[in-house]
Amino acid sequence: MIRARENGPIVERDDSLEFEPLDQYQQRRQNLKDIEALGHPAYPRKFAWTHTPKEILEKYAGSTVEELESSRVTVSVPGRIVALRPHGKAAFAHIAGDGARLQIYVRQDIVGEEAYKLFKLMDLGDFVGVTGHLFRTKTNELSVKVDKLELLTKSLLPLPEKWHGLADVELRYRRRYLDLIVNEKAREVFIRRAQIIREIRHFFDARNYSEVETPMMHPILGGATARPFITHHNTLDMKLYLRIAPELYLKRLVVGGLDRVYEINRNFRNEGIDAIHLQEFTMLEFYQAYSDYRELMDMTEELFRSLAEKICGSTKFKYEETEIDFGHFERLSMRDAIVKFWPAAARPAPTSAELAAAGGPLAIAERFNVYARAQNIDPILNVGKLSAGELIGELFEAVAEPHLVQPTFIYDFPIEISPLSKTRADDPSIAERFELFIAGMEVANGFSELNDPIDQENRFRAQVEKGGHEAPKEVDVDYIRALSHGLPPTAGEGIGIDRLVMLLTDSHAIREVVLFPLLRAESGEPAAEEIPAPGAANKPNSAADGAKK
RNA sequence: AGGGGCGUAGCUCAGUGGUAGAGCAGCGGCCUUUUAAGCCGAAGGUCGUGGGUUCGAUCCCCACCGCCCCUACCA
């Protein structure tokens, strides 16, 4: 590639990309040329800085006008120009860096005519490095009086409108980089997301867990019920599934003697997309030998409480106008939850004993459906075809789940909907499993792992026989083999990181906490397979996105 | 997938069956303590795309594309 810029004029190519707004893009290209003509590189290599804007604002927040005058503080600070208020031969600007905005004051009589000429060729969005001393303006704003100023990177495209910012949701996701520059809230969400994941790692590392990475492309589907993405490996000529869960691999590791493992990584499910579902999502899964589901509930409570304290500064925080409190976690068995939240208008309310009795769940589901139809609520479909356990699951979702705003563990699930969990010693119809609900969302799912290989094989076979596009197509024989070698009593849990981040950042859509959520290709944008291979004469296609035709 | 909404200047938005408007950004001019700086001036548009109705469509109708919301499956 030709890199002639440093030694001479820009190499002009008539097929290079241009972007909307074209007039502003061309204007900035011209400014760039003029800057280079003045002898300033537009893309220099580094800048020796002493502070970030944020550091200055924090460190000198308390310094008074007099203090800054009597003992001069000289700083060199880099940042992106995000506001510009020129006044002829002087100008105020704000530069952004490290999440803060610092005002700078540039005067021709201080920086000199030459530098001021350069400054006037700078545009909103350019990166600059300034050296000067701190002072306070008439309005007492801590600012840098610039002695020296250099361009650190020329920006060829303008920033979004300064007052409204970037409000279009689609554009915010497609051009997340602009969203991050302009919208404080977006930046904060992702900084917090990083903190949350860091704290989770600390939490588990401190408990002697090992972080592991297991395959994301699986030859056999397993570990959850969900429709997969399917792909193909050319060299091995092999059908592969993007993983829907890491579970079966992680438990193999416990068989292998890694008694405490966790993995934070993506799962992929080829299903619906809405405010709390995406085709790829980040899951924390962890497994602990010689433990059971009750211990995990305690541990989850501890984890969530410490996260809220560290991230939000308190166990209480606001989510969608309600205060969520991680100081207390309710625990209800699934049957008790149905009893507790049974709608008053659907009397008589069932009892726990009735739910446990033969034929009970069916009778109760039918009672619910009478009520639901009268109230014009969605009834439970196909009640006749569902097992008692499935009916209990359906009843729970219909009756109780929407009410679970404060953190609530629902435990003791029907065995039929928990194919990987151990049953209770005193009741083989119930699995030692729980889910944690907060703000109506399921955020965690844990259980005492089924480690009886014969039982597990039977349950796998039953699933395969039952069929359906979400059911596994074949028994994972190697997993049964691993269990046959012996999985110690183990408890395992998955926590949806995206949803947890939603809660702790008061974000009401999962896409708000994912950096580049998938959107449909813009019309006119080349589909993936149409993009020419590198090396081919590849004048880039007319990216619809505003690029020149 | 079904129902509803939206799509107008680079951005945020008005608007009308008779060929289009504001603020901000950009351009030219004035301006050395401003902070949505100010003042003056000029420019900027295939009104999402394609059909149809009409003398005439950005507006009415149909289809398509994209985004958002709700409902159904899923964590």
Side-chain angles (χ1 to χ4, degrees), chain A residues 4-8 10 31-46 118 122 126-129 149-155:
Chain A
R5 193 164 288 150
E6 283 169 288
N7 315 319
I10 299 165
N31 291 349
L32 179 143
K33 272 193 201 171
D34 293 348
I35 286 166
E36 287 174 331
L38 286 175
H40 299 280
Y43 302 97
R45 293 206 155 46
K46 60 178 181 177
L118 167 69
M122 290 186 189
D126 287 0
F127 283 93
V128 286
L149 148 144
E150 55 191 285
L151 177 65
L152 299 183
T153 290
K154 185 68 199 159
S155 164

Side-chain angles (χ1 to χ4, degrees), chain A residues 62-72 134-136 140:
Chain A
S63 303
T64 62
V65 177
E66 296 74 26
E67 283 164 1
L68 292 172
E69 256 171 35
S70 60
S71 58
R72 274 202 170 187
L134 300 180
F135 76 110
R136 283 187 183 274
N140 207 38

Side-chain angles (χ1 to χ4, degrees), chain A residues 57 61 63-65 68 85 87 92-94 103-105 135-144:
Chain A
L57 290 169
S63 303
T64 62
V65 177
L68 292 172
R85 293 176 295 279
H87 296 265
F92 284 96
H94 274 92
Q103 182 166 260
I104 62 170
Y105 183 43
F135 76 110
R136 283 187 183 274
T137 61
K138 271 184 185 167
T139 54
N140 207 38
E141 179 166 349
L142 185 65
S143 309
V144 179

Side-chain angles (χ1 to χ4, degrees), chain A residues 435-491:
Chain A
E435 286 185 349
L436 172 60
F437 292 87
I438 305 167
M441 292 190 286
E442 184 194 331
V443 295
N445 177 18
F447 35 91
S448 305
E449 303 295 339
L450 177 59
N451 61 346
D452 175 343
I454 296 163
D455 189 352
Q456 185 69 80
E457 181 185 340
N458 290 336
R459 293 205 213 169
F460 277 172
R461 286 198 190 285
Q463 276 187 304
V464 172
E465 272 164 36
K466 198 175 169 211
H469 51 214
E470 286 180 358
K473 304 286 178 285
E474 56 185 310
V475 172
D476 189 335
V477 172
D478 181 68
Y479 179 66
I480 303 294
R481 175 172 26 229
L483 289 188
S484 302
H485 281 286
L487 172 69
T490 297

